[in-house]
């Protein structure tokens, strides 16, 4: 077993050194006990950019060479979505631990195959659900777990940017995977059904705008507004409960989350309708201090220590599966103009819930 403090570091190979891959290389280079040994990309400019900053890193022309390097313990995959499954599968079969970018793969069947393979080969399989490692999401989860919000009523997210988006996925799979992973982490339960609509503008083959609703037991509703066409960036999530509401604005520098005690109350007595009043209970607003950490550093640390300590990371393959399963159902609904898609009725979902526990289990 490798220790992050021993003289034998965990040796990482990164495939895909574009926008996000370069952030991964930087973060892993700064984790104690980890060495970025090699990077692979077919774009020579991307490779040159890494070499300039990290002269000791080896450059590999293709993925096969990265996998066949026996000095590499773990592979980080930051290439387009369509390559996630084949690269992760090959890496696991080659005996490597795997950190794969979000979304984990293109279907829940692929996700289950990767989980099974990682378990059989006793390797760590992790998905970069970056936001789970942010102070804001961690704090929101601790408030929900402590019961501070009361019963959960709704989750309402707006994620908008003016950008080109990804080359091989629509706005649902790109931006939606962030929100779905946050919801999955905070709700602690799976939605029972989902409906989604979307549209392709500006001649794009992919939807660049989408609205998704996910339904949970007890009338809890989650709504997602995903948009690549906005004139400005918006990253806001409201998590409303019977006692308090969290307003999370990821673009805020100092007060990313605000917790409101203010709520509305309605009388549901048998009074005539004209006597029913919605009241507003005012209350305090509190903005807790959050450590200004880089979430991606948390991802890199968790991956390294999951390998060292032989345990499942927070954002493990099961978390990746649940997000992909919801994306898949939302895509099915979007293809059918918003038809409600049941999640519990899926034989695959039933099989998965029998096979896999929601809670992380140690890697033997
Ligand atoms: N977690 C996050 O917050 C976050 C943010 C941005 C992107 N991402 C994810 O990271 C991945 C990459 O996104 P990006 O924005 O960096 O894209 P990008 O286009 O900037 O980078 C992708 C890189 O992969 C390389 N590549 C593609 N196919 C390859 C192959 N077969 N072999 C070797 N190299 C190959 C390309 O040359 C390119 O340099 C996507 O899956 C995306 O969803 C995650």
């Amino acid at each position: 077993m490798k220790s992050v403090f021993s003289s034998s570091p965990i040796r990482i190979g990164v495939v895909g050194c574009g926008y996000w891959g370069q952030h991964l290389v930087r973060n892993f280079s700064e984790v104690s006990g980890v060495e970025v040994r090699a990077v692979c990309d077919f774009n020579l400019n991307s490779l040159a950019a890494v070499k300039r900053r990290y002269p000791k890193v080896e450059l590999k022309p293709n993925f096969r060479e990265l996998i066949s390097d026996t000095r590499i313990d773990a592979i980080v995959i930051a290439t387009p979505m369509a390559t996630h499954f084949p690269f992760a599968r090959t890496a696991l079969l080659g005996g490597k631990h795997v950190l794969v970018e979000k979304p984990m793969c293109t279907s829940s069947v692929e996700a289950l195959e990767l989980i099974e393979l990682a378990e059989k080969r006793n390797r760590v399989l992790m998905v970069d659900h970056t936001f789970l490692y942010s102070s804001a999401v961690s704090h929101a989860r601790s408030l929900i777990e402590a019961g501070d919000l009361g019963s959960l009523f709704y989750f309402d997210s707006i994620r908008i940017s003016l950008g080109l988006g990804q080359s091989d996925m629509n706005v649902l799979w790109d931006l939606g995977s962030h929100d779905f992973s946050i919801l999955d982490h905070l709700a602690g339960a799976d939605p029972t059904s989902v409906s989604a609509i979307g549209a392709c503008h500006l001649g794009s083959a992919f939807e660049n705008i989408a609205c998704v609703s996910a339904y949970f037991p007890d009338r809890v509703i989650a709504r997602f507004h995903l948009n690549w066409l906005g004139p400005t960036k918006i990253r806001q999530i409201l998590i409303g409960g019977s006692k308090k509401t969290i307003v999370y604005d990821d673009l805020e520098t100092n007060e990313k989350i605000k917790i409101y005690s203010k709520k509305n109350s309605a009388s549901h007595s048998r009074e005539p309708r004209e006597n029913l009043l919605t009241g507003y209970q005012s209350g305090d607003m509190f903005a807790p201090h959050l450590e200004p950490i880089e979430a991606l550093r948390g991802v890199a640390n968790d991956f390294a220590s999951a390998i060292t300590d032989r345990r499942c990371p927070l954002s493990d393959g099961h978390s990746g599966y649940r997000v992909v399963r919801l994306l898949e159902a939302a895509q099915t609904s979007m293809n059918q103009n918003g038809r409600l898609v049941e999640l519990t009725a899926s034989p695959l979902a039933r099989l998965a819930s029998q096979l896999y526990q929601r809670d992380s289990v140690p890697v033997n």
Side-chain angles (χ1 to χ4, degrees), residues 15-21 40-43 46 78-81 83-84 87 101-103 128 130 166 169 174 178:
V15 56
C17 299
Y19 162 64
W20 201 244
C40 163
D41 198 301
F42 53 39
N43 181 332
S46 301
T79 43
M81 174 175 73
T83 60
H84 292 179
F87 281 175
E101 259 317 314
K102 63 83 197 164
D128 178 13
T130 318
Q166 294 288 324
M169 59 179 121
D174 182 24
H178 288 308

Side-chain angles (χ1 to χ4, degrees), residues 218-232:
D218 297 324
R219 302 179 305 282
V220 177
I221 297 178
R223 309 239 309 144
F224 308 87
H225 311 259
L226 308 163
N227 188 336
W228 271 336
L229 302 174
T232 182

Side-chain angles (χ1 to χ4, degrees), residues 29-49:
S29 301
E30 289 168 16
V31 172
S32 152
V34 170
E35 177 193 335
V36 178
R37 177 163 289 257
V39 293
C40 163
D41 198 301
F42 53 39
N43 181 332
L44 298 182
N45 292 333
S46 301
L47 287 182

Side-chain angles (χ1 to χ4, degrees), residues 131-188:
F131 283 96
L132 305 199
Y133 294 84
S134 67
S135 304
V137 173
S138 301
H139 196 86
R141 178 161 156 142
S142 63
L143 292 171
I144 292 168
E145 280 184 340
D148 285 16
L149 264 61
S151 313
L152 200 62
F153 287 164
Y154 67 89
F155 178 103
D156 207 339
S157 168
I158 308 178
R159 197 172 289 270
I160 296 178
S161 53
L162 177 63
L164 293 173
Q166 294 288 324
S167 57
D168 71 340
M169 59 179 121
N170 62 17
V171 73
L172 169 70
W173 288 76
D174 182 24
L175 300 185
S177 54
H178 288 308
D179 288 302
F180 289 6
S181 68
I182 296 170
L183 173 77
D184 177 69
H185 188 57
L186 298 182

